[in-house]
Amino acid sequence: MESGLRLTERYRLVERLDHGGAMEVWRAWDELLGRPVAVKLPAVAHTDLHRMFQKGVNRAAGLSHAALETVFDSDQTRDASGRLVSYVVTEFLDGEPLAERLRLGPLTASETIEICAQVAAALEAAHAAGVTHCDLGPGKIMLVCGEVKVADTGIGGIVRGARGSPGRGKAADPGRAAADETRAVDVRALGAVISACLPAGTSGELASLAARCAGATAGYGPTATEIADLLARDDEPPNAVFTTVRSQAPSRDHRTRALRPPPHPPARPRRRGARLAALALVVAIPVTGAAAILVSAPRTPVTVPPPPARADRTAAPAPERGRRAAETGVADALGRLRPIVSRGYTSGEIRSDVAIDLNNVITNLENDLTADRDVDVDRRIDLLQAKIVTRRRERGLSPDLADELNRILATIQT
């Protein structure tokens, strides 16, 4: 692939980010929705790879969890030699791989718990849906503004296996190995991540848990659910966004190396029973701007100011005045949507990742209108309505809240 190439007349490749790995990874620009995305494609050709890759993408696209990378789209294209290549489009993770963070030194026990608890919960959700990672490691765990994201679930092992790497990738296709064994592969990998985070020679509960994970086999050893239980906090409040302490090393510009959304889903029922003695620490760092809007206290609806007034309105021709009046009406309606989304998040009627997703769509359209860009408002509103319908069907927001949002969208006249 080459920089500047446009896939399906929508995704423009901007910069290649990988360094000769199993997948070719690009930072790209979604020209339809005006947002950065990641485009990934296998770095090698393989007879059955297209079918297996697409199957893995389809499975990954059905997952929804705060710590799992979101899949947006997939298709096929031809490389420079004319060979057909499958690719997947995911959210762009503008963060730091855990592998890079660990080069600065080991983590504390509380930092290790905070990161690995989210990874375990992500694996729990994936395994419950019949999806395994099979290529989990520090390079696939991204630290994005204090949140944890697991990249390439469902596809990383397929690509690595096709490239001929031993071990992990070969278990990625459920048709070739028992489901229990593929889940055990992920558990062993999580144990290795826990060990990698701790200082050498560490003993205690975390080291013991890592050793148990390392010995996991099909039908023996802890499951992702059990690990998530052990690392979970009893006092975790609903919709909490826990974050990880970053190193005090000089700040660097980190970009996605190994490339969904989303903040935490509704909190699972609080688990009781045995807990690790050292797992009761809460660690906090700054949260992303979007998440801060939703979770900062007090949680009050955010009022979006109307677009700045434009000079010489009275002097504009009648069609221009009509267009501007319509745009103002659209902006006013969009400004009424945001407090509803914020209120719905506070009341638990909307999942946090859905709230951020809708806020992003609303903000992008508001910005385009304020910048006086040529915007197909009808199409953008249709896309927003379709997203609301989809999220309602996925139970990401309540029927009452979806109806309230759609009633406001129905008042928009363009």
Side-chain angles (χ1 to χ4, degrees), residues 45-379:
H46 190 279
T47 304
D48 297 326
L49 184 56
H50 299 310
R51 176 186 59 81
M52 293 170 58
F53 184 80
Q54 189 59 55
K55 187 176 180 180
V57 168
N58 291 345
R59 290 196 300 259
L63 300 174
S64 179
H65 189 274
L68 287 174
E69 174 188 58
T70 304
V71 173
F72 293 144
D73 199 359
S74 68
D75 208 329
Q76 293 183 330
T77 187
R78 294 192 180 277
D79 61 15
S81 63
R83 294 178 298 185
L84 197 63
V85 179
S86 297
Y87 66 87
V88 61
V89 182
T90 72
E91 63 176 314
F92 179 71
L93 303 179
D94 190 7
E96 175 186 29
L98 176 59
E100 186 168 329
R101 166 62 183 85
L102 292 176
R103 292 192 186 100
L104 302 177
L107 306 182
T108 65
S110 60
E111 291 173 326
T112 301
I113 292 166
E114 197 62 42
I115 292 173
C116 294
Q118 295 181 62
V119 175
L123 290 179
E124 177 187 15
H127 290 181
V131 182
T132 52
H133 196 294
C134 290
D135 194 28
L136 182 66
K140 299 293 185 179
I141 299 171
M142 299 295 298
L143 308 180
V144 185
C145 295
E147 295 178 358
V148 174
K149 290 282 189 175
V150 179
D152 298 342
T153 302
I155 59 176
I158 290 173
V159 176
R160 180 176 289 275
R163 194 175 185 180
S165 297
R168 294 184 293 182
K170 294 182 179 180
D173 187 348
R176 297 188 180 183
D180 285 347
E181 176 55 31
T182 59
R183 288 191 287 267
V185 169
D186 286 347
V187 170
R188 291 196 295 270
L190 178 54
V193 171
I194 295 174
S195 295
C197 291
L198 299 173
T202 298
S203 60
E205 301 288 355
L206 278 176
S208 176
L209 176 60
R212 288 183 59 202
C213 293
T217 60
Y220 175 80
T223 65
T225 299
E226 292 168 350
I227 300 169
D229 277 337
L230 288 170
L231 297 175
R233 295 174 44 81
D234 274 334
D235 57 346
E236 179 176 344
N239 291 326
V241 178
F242 289 101
T243 52
T244 307
V245 173
R246 297 292 297 275
S247 168
Q248 298 303 314
S251 173
R252 292 182 292 173
D253 179 22
H254 297 297
R255 296 178 300 178
T256 302
R257 297 292 197 279
L259 297 177
R260 144 173 142 190
H264 293 281
R268 75 181 93 178
R270 296 181 183 179
R271 297 176 168 109
R272 302 297 178 184
R275 289 292 189 273
L276 294 176
L279 308 185
L281 300 177
V282 177
V283 190
I285 64 167
V287 186
T288 59
I293 292 176
L294 295 174
V295 303
S296 58
R299 293 182 178 177
T300 55
V302 179
T303 302
V304 179
R310 301 186 181 95
D312 299 325
R313 278 184 183 270
T314 56
E320 179 67 11
R321 290 200 303 272
R323 181 181 70 83
R324 289 175 176 173
E327 290 180 355
T328 301
V330 173
D332 290 342
L334 294 174
R336 291 158 58 196
L337 293 177
R338 195 185 300 280
I340 296 174
V341 173
S342 181
R343 187 191 72 230
Y345 172 79
T346 302
S347 65
E349 292 182 83
I350 182 170
R351 207 169 59 213
S352 55
D353 62 305
V354 176
I356 287 183
D357 186 21
L358 294 178
N359 268 322
N360 285 340
V361 174
I362 294 168
T363 299
N364 286 339
L365 182 51
E366 286 174 336
N367 290 342
D368 287 343
L369 293 174
T370 302
D372 209 14
R373 299 188 182 99
D374 187 11
V375 181
D376 187 345
V377 176
D378 287 335
R379 176 171 173 76

